């Protein structure tokens, strides 16, 4: 709570946060019940009980929960101070939910405004306002169960009198940050055996907020809902792979793992790609003989069960059945069942068998996936594979959907200044040392396993202890986890949030774990229990002391900075739409703006930012012709075919300067249409001059060809709204 002290000069935000404190505690408490299962295991496996042990563990619990709540209050304070959220108007609050965040929040708002819960669910299942001239099942198309759950919860809880719906929503998301930090705390505690590692993890996570989370300004993004559950799943996997786990403990942890994986998959549409990476990690551990066959099978089945459960909950969403993750797991289990003697023979024989095994699994994976997509006629996720191909130069560079991703900084390579920030908080150095040492140990252990012809599955207890180099299965999993997701983050900056949080836990394990310090002390021939214990406690305490000394003033300054939301042009636009247009009017425009129009006004849209549908992507490309070089007749035909009554054009898009030439939206449209781009620079030889001027510029001139089809009904410094007049011929084709 001390982070709120600088706010005393402006008590409004602090009082708002403190008034909602009891609600935050209730929301987090349910997650703590699940976490206590893991924490109880730590106690049970700690050995002989003494009053010192109980006190030490109790202190660890207190520190972990305190750090989780501190991170929750920290991001909530930043959000309040950045927007002055408690004092701005309702329309301004809703506008602050930018791009797809506004779309998701609109469904929470829709559930609250429905006459009943049943009616609200029915409207979501049979929605005809998100995409004009179409009726879609939103629970099938989008991952919005969290909005439905919160909408139902707010209606039935007796909190309406003292907590506004928007605060119930944002504080729930912020409370999940507490869950996230506590899950990372547990992971590092399990790996190192010391809660000091968890404390170091939580402090590093908070200090590296810029690189570990963006929840304070993208509240409704699916990743902010799902990543806390992903961290819980990692903690459960770490616990499951620990040695000497009793059968009853294994069952409890497997159920926790399933629930965490289910929640993770249910709250993010990209879950299948994350689970694919995780399945590859499990496959690698299996091939290197680091976990048992039973553990491999259980981990795979948890993933499959979670995906199939989500498939049922999302009304048999075909995108899940056609996912690479599901195809890979089925292929891996099938080949593993029929390929006998994989882990027998000498080094050369085993390498050959592993190579054949990998080839068979990958071949069967792509075969199953291809057949599934052909059978289901699935094209929902093809834009993602187009993006991957184009990113690595394996696909067409003019594809409009792929270019939309490639031109965004978030989908580029991880910037080098990220490592400067991580090094500034002392996170990068222990992380890299731990990573390098453990990779060397893993390579030596793998070589020893492959050379041991008697190794069939997981070795019996005691075999690793007989070797000079050994590695626990939970450590091996977390090592490969940070390697795989680190490579993913390096290739795509947006994926860094999957990596940096776990990086904090992994680096803290390196600082507080026994293995690395024992190796160092053995190297200088002075390894004793006393010296090992002394180093494991003094080094993390010294790091924590340095971090507090260096960054506490900075945190105090950050939480005391007060700003205010200011976007008068958008407020004016939303106010005009709400008061001057019919409630059933259909609006066309950019995806980002239309999401805000749906949230603030409830009007019908032609397109929106949730891009996981092939028909919607095609319609979006067509609607975006308002920024291309097209005739007024063609634009009018396209918009009428999409059912639009009004079209909103933005000067910030028409005259875009944020991106360079070749990445502006108008350039992407020109390339897609085969036209030469604006401005000086090279053009491909097959591009031609467009026969018409750019529509978003020419329509403002008020020429007869334009006024015959479009009439301007609103304008300010940023937006221009045109009403479509009825043409002589109305297009019949539904885009």
């Amino acid at each position: 709570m001390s982070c709120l002290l600088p706010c005393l000069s402006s008590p409004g935000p602090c009082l708002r946060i403190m008034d909602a404190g009891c609600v935050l505690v209730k929301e987090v408490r349910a997650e703590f019940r699940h976490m206590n299962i893991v924490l109880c295991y730590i106690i049970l496996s700690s050995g002989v009980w003494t009053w010192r042990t109980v006190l030490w563990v109790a202190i660890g619990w207190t520190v972990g929960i305190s750090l989780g709540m501190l991170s929750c209050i920290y991001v909530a304070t930043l959000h309040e101070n950045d927007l002055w959220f408690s004092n701005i108007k309702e329309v301004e609050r809703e506008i602050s939910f930018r791009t797809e965040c506004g779309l998701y929040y609109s469904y929470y708002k829709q559930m609250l405004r429905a006459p009943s819960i049943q009616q609200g669910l029915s409207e979501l299942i049979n929605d005809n306002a998100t995409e004009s001239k179409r009726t879609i099942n939103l629970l099938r198309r989008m991952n919005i169960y969290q909005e439905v759950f919160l909408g139902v919860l707010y209606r039935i809880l007796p909190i309406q009198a003292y907590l506004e719906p928007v605060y119930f929503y944002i504080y729930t998301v912020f409370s999940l940050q507490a869950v996230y930090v506590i899950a990372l705390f547990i992971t590092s505690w399990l790996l190192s055996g010391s809660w000091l590692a968890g404390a170091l993890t939580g402090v590093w996570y908070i200090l590296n907020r810029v690189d570990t989370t963006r929840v304070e300004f993208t509240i409704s993004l699916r990743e902010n809902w799902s990543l806390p559950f992903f961290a819980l799943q990692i903690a459960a996997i770490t616990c499951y792979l620990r040695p000497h786990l009793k059968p009853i403990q294994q069952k409890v942890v497997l159920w926790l793992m399933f629930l965490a994986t289910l929640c993770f998959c249910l709250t993010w549409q990209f879950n299948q790609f994350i689970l694919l990476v995780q399945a590859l990690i499990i496959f690698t551990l299996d091939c290197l003989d680091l976990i048992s066959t039973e553990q491999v099978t259980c981990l795979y089945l948890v993933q499959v069960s979670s995906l199939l459960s989500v498939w049922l909950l999302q009304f048999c969403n075909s995108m899940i059945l056609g996912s690479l993750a599901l195809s890979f797991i089925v292929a891996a289990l099938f080949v593993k069942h029929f390929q006998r003697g994989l882990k027998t023979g000498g080094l050369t024989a085993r390498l050959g068998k592993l190579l054949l095994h990998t080839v068979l699994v990958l071949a069967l994976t792509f075969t199953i996936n291809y057949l599934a997509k052909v059978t289901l006629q699935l094209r929902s996720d093809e834009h993602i594979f187009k993006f991957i191909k184009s990113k690595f130069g394996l696909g067409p560079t003019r594809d409009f959907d792929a270019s939309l991703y490639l031109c965004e900084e978030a989908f580029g390579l991880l910037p080098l200044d990220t490592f400067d920030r991580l090094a500034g908080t002392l996170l990068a150095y222990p992380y890299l040392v731990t990573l390098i040492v453990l990779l060397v140990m893993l390579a030596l252990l793998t070589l020893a396993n492959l050379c041991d012809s008697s190794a069939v599955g997981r070795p019996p207890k005691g075999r690793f202890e007989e070797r000079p180099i050994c590695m626990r299965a939970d450590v091996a999993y977390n090592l490969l986890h940070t390697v795989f997701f680190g490579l993913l983050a390096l290739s795509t900056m947006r994926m860094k949030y999957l990596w940096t949080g776990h990086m904090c836990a992994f680096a803290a394990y390196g600082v507080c774990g026994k293995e690395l310090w024992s190796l160092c002390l053995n190297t200088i021939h002075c390894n004793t229990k006393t010296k090992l214990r002394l180093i494991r406690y003094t080094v993390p305490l010294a790091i924590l002391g340095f971090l507090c000394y260096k960054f506490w003033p900075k945190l105090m300054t950050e939480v005391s900075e007060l700003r205010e939301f200011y976007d008068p042009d958008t407020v004016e636009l939303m106010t005009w739409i709400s008061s001057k247009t019919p409630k059933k009017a259909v609006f066309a425009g950019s995806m980002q703006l239309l999401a805000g129009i749906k949230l603030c006004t409830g009007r019908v849209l032609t397109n929106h930012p949730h891009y996981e549908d092939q028909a919607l992507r095609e319609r979006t490309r067509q609607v975006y012709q308002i920024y291309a070089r097209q005739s007024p007749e063609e634009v009018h035909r396209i918009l009428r075919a999409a059912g639009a009554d009004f079209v909103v054009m933005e000067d910030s898009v028409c005259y875009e300067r944020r991106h360079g030439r070749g990445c502006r939206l108008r350039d992407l449209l020109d390339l897609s249409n085969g036209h030469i781009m604006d401005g000086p620079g090279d053009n491909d030889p097959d591009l031609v001059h467009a026969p018409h001027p750019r529509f978003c510029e020419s329509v403002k001139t008020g020429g007869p060809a334009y006024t015959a089809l479009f009439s301007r009904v609103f304008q300010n410094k940023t937006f221009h709204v045109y009403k479509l007049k009825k043409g002589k011929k109305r297009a019949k084709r539904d885009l």
Side-chain angles (χ1 to χ4, degrees), residues 631-633 635-637 639 647 649 695 699 705-712 722-725:
S631 66
E633 294 79 13
V635 172
H636 187 272
R637 183 195 67 79
L639 296 178
V647 57
M649 281 174 278
F695 178 81
V699 69
Y706 296 92
T707 55
L709 300 173
F710 302 91
S711 60
R712 183 159 54 193
Y722 291 85
K723 184 176 182 179
L724 276 70
K725 297 180 179 179

Side-chain angles (χ1 to χ4, degrees), residues 70-83:
L70 178 62
S71 67
C72 167
I73 296 172
Y74 177 47
V75 294
T77 303
L78 291 178
H79 174 262
E80 169 63 33
N81 291 354
D82 189 54
L83 299 173

Side-chain angles (χ1 to χ4, degrees), residues 106-141:
S106 71
Y107 300 124
Y108 168 70
K109 180 179 176 181
Q110 184 174 330
M111 278 295 298
L112 295 179
R113 291 191 171 183
S116 65
I117 294 175
Q118 294 80 359
Q119 181 66 25
L121 289 172
S122 177
E123 291 175 357
L124 293 177
I125 294 173
N126 302 281
D127 179 88
N128 53 16
T130 302
E131 296 177 19
S132 58
K133 303 178 71 173
R134 293 175 184 164
T135 299
I136 60 176
N137 184 344
L138 291 171
L139 295 181
R140 183 178 187 271
R141 175 80 73 81

Side-chain angles (χ1 to χ4, degrees), residues 33 265 289 310 356 361 604 679:
R33 291 195 189 104
C265 294
D289 197 21
V310 173
L356 176 61
V361 170
V604 184

Side-chain angles (χ1 to χ4, degrees), residues 492-721:
T492 307
M493 186 182 74
R494 186 174 179 180
M495 297 295 106
K496 72 176 180 179
Y497 301 106
L498 290 162
W499 177 50
T500 48
H502 184 265
M503 178 194 291
C504 298
F506 190 76
Y509 156 69
V511 173
C512 303
K514 297 179 181 179
E515 291 84 354
L516 295 182
W517 287 120
S518 296
L519 182 63
C520 294
L521 292 175
N522 284 332
T523 303
I524 59 177
H525 305 289
C526 61
N527 188 9
T528 63
K529 289 185 177 180
T530 304
K531 292 179 180 178
L532 179 61
R533 186 181 296 112
L534 180 65
I535 292 177
R536 289 182 61 219
Y537 293 151
T538 56
V539 172
L541 287 174
I543 295 176
L544 286 170
F546 171 78
L547 293 176
C548 291
Y549 172 78
K550 181 178 179 180
F551 291 99
W552 184 258
K554 179 181 177 182
L555 288 180
M556 292 299 96
T557 302
E558 189 176 21
V559 297
S560 63
E561 291 179 353
L562 301 178
R563 301 182 183 88
E564 183 178 357
F565 175 88
Y566 184 76
D567 191 356
D569 290 346
T570 306
V571 171
E572 184 184 11
L573 172 67
M574 299 303 175
T575 303
W576 179 86
I577 292 175
S578 298
S579 59
K580 301 296 183 181
T581 63
K583 291 185 178 181
K584 296 296 183 180
V586 180
F587 278 79
S590 68
M591 296 183 291
Q592 295 79 4
L593 178 63
L594 290 184
I597 288 177
K598 176 168 176 54
L599 171 59
C600 297
T601 70
R603 300 306 188 259
V604 184
L605 313 180
T606 57
N607 52 301
H608 54 80
H610 195 274
Y611 221 47
E612 278 63 55
D613 181 75
Q614 195 275 334
L616 176 67
R617 292 195 295 272
E618 177 58 26
R619 174 182 279 191
T620 298
R621 191 183 69 84
Q622 290 292 324
V623 170
Y624 275 9
Q625 297 301 314
I626 60 177
Y627 296 111
R629 291 187 176 97
Q630 296 286 1
S631 66
E633 294 79 13
E634 178 64 12
V635 172
H636 187 272
R637 183 195 67 79
I638 290 172
L639 296 178
R640 274 300 183 189
D645 299 312
F646 297 88
V647 57
V648 185
M649 281 174 278
E650 306 163 66
D651 287 344
S652 59
V653 179
C654 188
Y655 307 105
E656 182 183 358
R657 295 180 180 179
R658 184 168 67 94
H659 293 105
R661 186 175 186 269
C663 269
R664 300 168 298 189
L665 179 60
R666 62 180 186 268
D667 296 334
L668 302 183
L669 291 165
D670 288 341
L671 291 173
S672 178
N673 296 335
H675 297 158
I676 292 176
M677 295 182 290
D678 286 341
D682 296 331
N683 291 282
D684 292 339
D686 60 325
L687 298 178
V688 299
H689 289 281
H692 304 285
R694 196 167 302 281
F695 178 81
C696 63
E697 297 175 355
S698 301
V699 69
K700 299 173 186 176
T701 62
Y706 296 92
T707 55
L709 300 173
F710 302 91
S711 60
R712 183 159 54 193
V713 292
F714 173 86
Q715 75 174 100
N716 59 23
K717 292 184 294 183
T718 304
F719 303 103
H720 301 264
V721 182

